[in-house]
Amino acid sequence: MTRRAARQRPTCPCGLQETYDDCCGRFHRGESAAPTAEALMRSRYSAFVKLERDYLLRTWHPRTRPGSLDLDTGMRWTGLEILDTTDGSTFHATGTVTFRASFKGGSLHERSRFERVDGAWVYVDGEIGD
């Protein structure tokens, strides 16, 4: 592939400079699990962008997971900014990720909590910020 072709390849919605297939797509397809709380947070953001309802439910803690999830097909997510992380590595059982997710017309600021369940990171809940 030429350098120009490589620059034109679309990057993952999560903001990392990899293609969706090589980045969050592999998590969505179940080929591997997110290795950190931040990677799970990024993959969940991408799941909202790609309307991957099953992935969102699968990566939600069983204690807090809703029975169903309706996604707004008209929502246009425009970017993700990770503001802070606490713990959440391969050596931790819990972690937090504070982020700002932008969408057409505004943004969502949240501090999300994550835990490991059977070795896999899952989303527990979040506190909405200003």
Side-chain angles (χ1 to χ4, degrees), residues 39-101:
L40 181 65
M41 191 352 294
R42 288 179 177 279
S43 71
R44 287 178 56 84
Y45 170 83
S46 291
F48 277 101
V49 171
K50 299 284 191 176
L51 302 175
E52 292 282 347
R53 176 182 296 107
D54 291 343
Y55 180 78
L56 290 165
L57 290 171
R58 187 170 70 244
T59 58
W60 212 309
H61 197 292
R63 184 176 71 240
T64 58
R65 178 188 309 135
S68 64
L69 182 63
D70 293 324
L71 299 177
D72 182 352
T73 59
M75 177 69 90
R76 295 295 172 245
W77 296 100
T78 59
L80 176 66
E81 179 184 5
I82 302 298
L83 304 173
D84 188 39
T85 62
T86 305
D87 298 334
S89 78
T90 56
F91 303 107
H92 299 106
T94 63
T96 64
V97 178
T98 304
F99 67 92
R100 181 175 295 110

